[in-house]
Amino acid sequence: MATEAADVNVPPGFMLHTENTTKILLDKNEAFLNPVQEFNRDLSVATIRVWSEELNRVKEVRFRAAQEKKAIKGKVKITYRPYKFVILEALSATGLRSIRYAQEIPHVKYVIANDCSSSAVATMRRNVELNKLGSEDGETPTPEGVASGKVRVNEGDACTLMYCHREEKKRVDVVDLDPYGTAAPFLDAAIQSVADGGLLCVTCTDLAVLATTNSPEKCFSNYGGVSVKAEYCHEAALRLVLHAISTTASRYGRYIEPLLSLSIDFYVRVFVRVQSSPIEVKKALTKAATYYICSSCQSFYEQPLGRVIQKVHESSGSVNHYYKVHTGPCVSEKCPECDSPLHLAGPMWSAPIHDSAFVAKILEHLEANQNSYGTAVRMKGMLTVAKEELPNPFYFTSSRMASLFHCRTPSLDDVASALLNAGHKISRSHASAGSLKTTASHRDLHDIFRSWVKLNAVKMETLSENSPTRRLLAVEPRIVANFTKHPDSVTSSSKIKLVRYQENPRYWGPGAKPGTKRKQGREETE
C-alpha cells in the first residue's frame, strides 16, 4: 500500500510507496504498481543472495587452493575479497526491483536498470535519487553510456542493451527478465549476455498461452512447443519455458541448470544457472520430451527425444558417450487405460525443475532473515513444498481422479497412504493445491481408485455405455489397495503450519499492458 513518510517530501500528484527497504514515488495519473508482485521481488532478492553466496564460496575455495600453491613457492598469501557482481534488469519500469537489489543484496557492484519508455526512465531516475543510489558528484557515465552509481539507469531497447554485453569480458552476472506477457523475445539476448556460472531470472505472465490449448500456434512460436490440456498444465508451462531457455542456450554452446522453477498466481518464475560446456550441451537432447496426453483420464506418456549410450573400452577403461534418437512410439493410438484419443504436447523440459539442495539453502537464508521479507510466510510455504517435490512430471488431484471414476472423493491422506503402502513414493506439488506427485504408474493409480470404488459404490446406471469410466471400471485391480494410514502420508511441509497454497489476493492478475496511451491514463509498471 502507498504510505507517506515524514522524511520524504511527496510532491502534489504523487504517492509514496514503501516496500521493505525501498521508497518510490509514483505519479498518480501515470503509474500503477501491482502489490501482488512483492512476492516475486522478495523471492528474487532471496534467490540472488543465496546464488551469490554459493558463487563466492566456490571462488573462495579456488582462491585458497591457488594461495596454497603460492605458499609452497614462498610467495606471500593474500586475503580473499568477496566477488562483487553486476545485475542487469532489462525491463525495469519504476526501478523498484533494481533499487531493492542494490540495497538488499550484499556484494552487488551495481545494477543496470533499463527501460525503453522515457516516462519510465524519468520515474526510475527520480526513485534512484530518492534512495540515494545515483551518481555521485564528479562521476562520469561508463563507456557503454550507462550512468554511474549503484543503480545505473539506461533508456533503450532491452535486447540492444543485452547484446552490447554479449562479449565475454562485458557479460553481467545476473540478468532479470520480468516483462508484461512472454519473455520469449528477450531470451536470445539474455542468454548471450550472462556470464558463465551466472543467473538468469525469467518471468512469463502469458499463462493463457502456456497453460491452455487455446493458442497452440502461439505457444509453439514463443516456446517451441505445444501446451497441455490437463490439470497439470501449470507445471507443463514451467517445462515449456525451461525448454525454450535450454534450446536457446544450446545454440551458443551453453546449457542451463534449473535452480528454482515456480508457478505463482498468474505467472511462472524460473531461476537457472547458465554455463558453457560442449559436452553438457549434447545432454540437452536427453532432457527434452514430447508427451501423449489422454483426453479423458489425463494419463500421460513420455516420449524422450534422445538417449545416450555409454561404452567402456576394455583396454583403457575410458567411457565414451554416444547420442542417439530415441525409439518410439511409446504408446498406441488410444490411451491404454481408457481407450480415449491422445493429444500431443511438447517438446518440453523433462529433467528436474528444481535443485532441492539450492532450495534448502534459500530456506535456511529465509529462516535467518525472516523479518527482511514482507512475504516470508508464503515464501517459506511454497519453497518447502518445492524442496520436497519429486523430480518427475506431473501431478494429479484426488478430486479430478474421483470425477473420472464418478465416485466419492477420497481424502488426500487416503490416496497418499494407499500409494505409500504399495511401495511408491509421493510428494506434494507447489503448482496446485490438493495435488500429489508419485512414482506409481497410471495403472497403479487407477487400481487404487478401483479399490476405492469397491468400498464406495458407483451408480453404474448413470453412466453412458461409451463412458471412459465404464472402460476403467471394467478392469479388475491387480492388487487391493491398502488405505490404512501410513506414517509418511503427511509430508514434512504438512507437519508444520505453512501457507503452502494461497488464495488469489486483492489486485490478483498481471494488470494492464505498459504503454503511454492508456484509456485511463495509466502505465503498468511491474
Side-chain angles (χ1 to χ4, degrees):
M1 295 179 62
T3 59
E4 292 195 6
D7 59 336
V8 177
N9 181 25
V10 182
F14 286 84
M15 61 181 180
L16 183 68
H17 179 87
T18 302
E19 185 175 292
N20 208 14
T21 61
T22 301
K23 298 173 182 178
I24 61 172
L25 285 172
L26 300 173
D27 189 320
K28 293 181 180 179
N29 298 318
E30 294 182 356
F32 171 75
L33 185 83
N34 193 343
V36 175
Q37 288 286 57
E38 182 181 356
F39 179 80
N40 187 323
R41 292 184 284 271
D42 280 355
L43 181 70
S44 300
V45 169
T47 303
I48 295 172
R49 281 193 65 166
V50 173
W51 164 84
S52 67
E53 289 167 3
E54 290 300 297
L55 180 69
N56 264 302
R57 191 172 292 116
V58 171
K59 286 183 177 293
E60 185 173 3
V61 168
R62 292 174 181 171
F63 176 84
R64 292 187 183 282
Q67 290 300 303
E68 290 299 327
K69 291 181 180 179
K70 288 183 179 181
I72 294 172
K73 297 179 181 179
K75 295 184 179 180
V76 179
K77 295 173 65 175
I78 57 176
T79 305
Y80 175 77
R81 298 176 64 183
Y83 173 72
K84 292 192 173 183
F85 59 97
V86 177
I87 302 174
L88 188 157
E89 189 191 2
L91 306 147
S92 299
T94 61
L96 174 57
R97 186 183 297 261
S98 290
I99 294 169
R100 285 195 58 185
Y101 287 167
Q103 295 195 132
E104 298 175 31
I105 304 176
H107 311 310
V108 171
K109 188 175 182 181
Y110 60 86
V111 181
I112 302 173
N114 176 76
D115 205 288
C116 64
S117 166
S118 56
S119 61
V121 168
T123 300
M124 276 194 282
R125 287 183 174 141
R126 180 173 60 240
N127 292 329
V128 168
E129 292 303 319
L130 178 65
N131 289 274
K132 300 179 181 179
L133 295 170
S135 307
E136 297 181 3
D137 293 338
E139 286 188 324
T140 56
T142 62
E144 294 87 354
V146 182
S148 56
K150 191 68 176 286
V151 177
R152 303 178 177 182
V153 178
N154 182 71
E155 180 178 346
D157 177 76
C159 288
T160 300
L161 175 63
M162 288 187 285
Y163 280 130
C164 288
H165 291 271
R166 67 187 299 185
E167 293 181 38
E168 190 171 348
K169 62 181 180 180
K170 293 183 180 179
R171 287 175 178 168
V172 297
D173 301 286
V174 179
V175 173
D176 193 315
L177 299 176
D178 190 15
Y180 178 91
T182 179
F186 309 101
L187 293 180
D188 186 88
I191 281 290
Q192 294 189 68
S193 63
V194 67
D196 270 354
L199 188 68
L200 176 59
C201 319
V202 180
T203 299
C204 293
T205 65
D206 58 332
L207 289 187
V209 172
L210 276 168
T212 73
T213 53
N214 294 337
S215 305
E217 77 290 351
K218 185 66 174 176
C219 188
F220 181 78
S221 63
N222 282 347
Y223 303 101
V226 178
S227 49
V228 166
K229 186 177 182 180
E231 64 175 344
Y232 42 83
C233 58
H234 286 84
E235 181 180 330
L238 286 167
R239 293 182 178 278
L240 283 164
V241 173
L242 290 172
H243 174 71
I245 300 173
S246 175
T247 53
T248 302
S250 296
R251 297 187 190 106
Y252 303 103
R254 315 192 82 184
Y255 70 98
I256 65 167
E257 297 173 329
L259 300 178
L260 178 63
S261 309
L262 297 177
S263 174
I264 310 164
D265 298 333
F266 54 86
Y267 59 92
V268 294
R269 180 71 164 167
V270 301
F271 300 88
V272 301
R273 184 186 286 123
V274 180
Q275 303 273 21
S276 296
S277 170
I279 294 176
E280 292 297 327
V281 169
K282 292 180 180 180
K283 295 179 183 178
L285 175 66
T286 66
K287 298 176 183 178
T290 55
Y291 291 87
Y292 294 93
I293 313 294
C294 177
S295 57
S296 295
C297 71
Q298 297 191 357
S299 296
F300 58 89
Y301 305 92
E302 183 178 289
Q303 175 63 69
L305 296 188
R307 58 196 174 98
V308 59
I309 299 174
Q310 293 185 2
K311 288 188 177 180
V312 180
H313 289 273
E314 295 181 1
S315 57
S316 63
S318 60
V319 179
N320 285 344
H321 296 84
Y322 299 91
Y323 295 87
K324 306 289 183 181
V325 293
H326 211 283
T327 56
C330 61
V331 68
S332 58
E333 292 183 359
K334 295 291 185 72
C335 175
E337 297 299 315
C338 67
D339 201 38
S340 298
L342 297 171
H343 293 163
L344 193 63
M348 63 183 73
W349 182 264
S350 59
I353 62 175
H354 311 297
D355 182 331
S356 58
F358 183 85
V359 179
K361 289 171 184 173
I362 301 179
L363 281 166
E364 289 175 9
H365 163 77
L366 189 61
E367 196 67 36
N369 300 274
Q370 191 156 338
N371 294 332
S372 299
Y373 302 99
T375 61
V377 174
R378 188 185 180 195
M379 283 172 65
K380 185 177 180 181
M382 183 168 277
L383 290 171
T384 301
V385 177
K387 180 176 71 72
E388 299 170 355
E389 210 169 303
L390 287 172
N392 52 294
F394 290 105
Y395 55 84
F396 72 94
T397 62
S398 295
S399 57
R400 175 64 180 80
M401 196 64 67
S403 68
L404 174 64
F405 280 86
H406 284 255
C407 65
R408 184 170 68 85
T409 303
S411 70
L412 201 63
D413 193 55
D414 285 333
V415 178
S417 294
L419 287 165
L420 288 166
N421 288 329
H424 306 295
K425 294 180 181 179
I426 65 162
S427 77
R428 303 293 293 271
S429 170
H430 79 278
S432 177
S435 59
L436 280 177
K437 280 191 165 189
T438 180
T439 55
S441 67
H442 306 299
R443 178 68 188 276
D444 293 330
L445 183 58
H446 290 161
D447 280 348
I448 287 173
F449 275 82
R450 291 184 182 107
S451 297
W452 177 258
V453 166
K454 289 184 180 297
L455 300 175
N456 301 269
V458 172
K459 295 181 179 180
M460 299 298 291
E461 62 272 14
T462 63
L463 303 175
S464 67
E465 291 298 325
N466 297 321
S467 168
T469 303
R470 279 190 178 274
R471 293 194 288 269
L472 286 168
L473 291 175
V475 179
E476 283 295 315
R478 294 168 296 181
I479 59 170
V480 177
N482 178 7
F483 294 100
T484 304
K485 182 175 175 60
H486 192 281
D488 296 328
S489 65
V490 179
T491 60
S492 299
S493 62
S494 301
K495 292 176 183 176
I496 53 178
K497 293 182 178 180
L498 294 174
V499 183
R500 296 187 298 277
Y501 307 100
Q502 185 161 299
E503 293 183 4
N504 295 343
R506 190 182 178 192
Y507 307 115
W508 184 90
K513 185 176 182 179
T516 54
K517 295 181 179 180
R518 312 282 309 161
K519 287 184 178 180
Q520 297 179 348
R522 290 183 174 183
E523 286 186 341
E524 212 275 337
T525 57
E526 274 211 58

